[in-house]
Amino acid sequence: KEKDPVIYSGPDLVEFSPVSRSVTTTTAPKRDSILVQLVGPQRSTATKINWEIDPASTAATTDYEVLTPTVEIPANASSTWIKFRFFKVSSTKTLRLNLTGADNATVSTNYKTFVYTLR
């Protein structure tokens, strides 16, 4: 017998998944992406995601390049990517990103910050 499907009934949220990763930059430049997902039903229109580089980051703007400064979850989709290119670093640094808002969605309290560790 099939069980009833679990249906999410909370508010629409946006969040990072996962919330941290290490990137080794010895073979720089190196590309990497961070998944941003919508928790809730897909929408018939795109969802703009607002985010920022946290001032607590120790990575300098010369250590990375943001390849997708404007981010949207496309219509009828559940996720999108923030893409970066990383350059060689001489010491371990962190790059912190914060989700700051989204069209008609709340930022997840527990999954609003992503931390890259650059080595």
Side-chain angles (χ1 to χ4, degrees):
K1 183 177 176 181
E2 290 186 38
K3 294 182 178 181
D4 290 333
V6 175
I7 298 175
Y8 177 74
S9 61
D12 291 353
L13 300 173
V14 291
E15 65 184 21
F16 287 120
S17 179
V19 293
S20 66
R21 181 168 34 255
S22 291
V23 175
T24 303
T25 62
T26 55
T27 57
K30 185 170 187 172
R31 291 177 180 246
D32 199 72
S33 304
I34 305 166
L35 181 69
V36 180
Q37 63 186 13
L38 174 65
V39 178
Q42 292 182 353
R43 299 169 173 192
S44 60
T45 59
T47 302
K48 182 180 178 189
I49 307 295
N50 301 310
W51 65 280
E52 67 181 8
I53 302 291
D54 191 313
S57 298
T58 59
T61 56
T62 56
D63 296 327
Y64 64 90
E65 177 183 4
V66 179
L67 301 176
T68 52
T70 302
V71 179
E72 287 185 343
I73 296 174
N76 304 311
S78 298
S79 61
T80 192
W81 298 89
I82 301 175
K83 298 176 183 178
F84 287 87
R85 180 179 303 134
F86 295 103
F87 305 105
K88 189 173 183 176
V89 295
S90 58
S91 61
T92 301
K93 299 180 181 183
T94 60
L95 177 62
R96 298 173 58 91
L97 286 73
N98 296 318
L99 294 173
T100 59
D103 291 345
N104 301 315
T106 302
V107 173
S108 169
T109 302
N110 295 329
Y111 302 102
K112 68 180 178 180
T113 301
F114 183 94
V115 180
Y116 267 121
T117 302
L118 307 178
R119 301 179 193 276

